[in-house]
Amino acid sequence: VPVKPRDVVLDYLFLTHDHIDHTDPHSAPLIAQSNPEALVICPASSVRLMTKWGVPQSQIQTAMPGQAIEFPNFTAHVVAAHHSEDSVGFVFEFNESGSSADGP
């Protein structure tokens, strides 16, 4: 792992599906726990895993195709992904303010 999970700083963690290479039990819960104000947005299968691994339900939002999830500077449109049972993709639409982040 090129970056220690506890060293990652973020506001949002978007997970697309529950396969180990996307909802990794060794990094995803540590990243969430190290960023207690961050929101984890993911499909129901990943919600179940993240909850099982100790991430508080209050820190997780279930993403379902067709949703448009509003954030301060952008909207995340949740789209279906044909990979596993409830895989999703995210299309990000930034508002006029754009991103206030220093990096991706």
Side-chain angles (χ1 to χ4, degrees):
V1 178
V3 177
K4 293 178 185 174
R6 292 207 183 271
D7 292 341
V8 174
V9 177
L10 49 71
D11 295 317
Y12 309 104
L13 177 60
F14 290 88
L15 304 173
T16 59
H17 62 288
D18 65 351
H19 292 169
I20 194 169
D21 59 332
H22 288 257
T23 303
D24 175 39
H26 304 291
S27 61
L30 292 176
I31 291 170
Q33 291 162 0
S34 295
N35 294 275
E37 300 299 317
L39 183 62
V40 180
I41 303 94
C42 54
S45 59
S46 293
V47 169
R48 285 189 294 277
L49 289 174
M50 294 295 282
T51 302
K52 175 180 165 183
W53 297 331
V55 177
Q57 183 67 38
S58 61
Q59 193 177 355
I60 305 170
Q61 180 170 343
T62 304
M64 296 173 37
Q67 282 181 306
I69 305 170
E70 299 285 333
F71 297 95
N73 293 328
F74 67 97
T75 301
H77 299 275
V78 185
V79 296
H82 300 284
H83 183 62
S84 62
E85 185 176 334
D86 68 346
S87 294
V88 297
F90 299 97
V91 177
F92 298 100
E93 178 183 3
F94 290 90
N95 64 21
E96 297 82 35
S97 302
S99 174
S100 62
D102 291 331

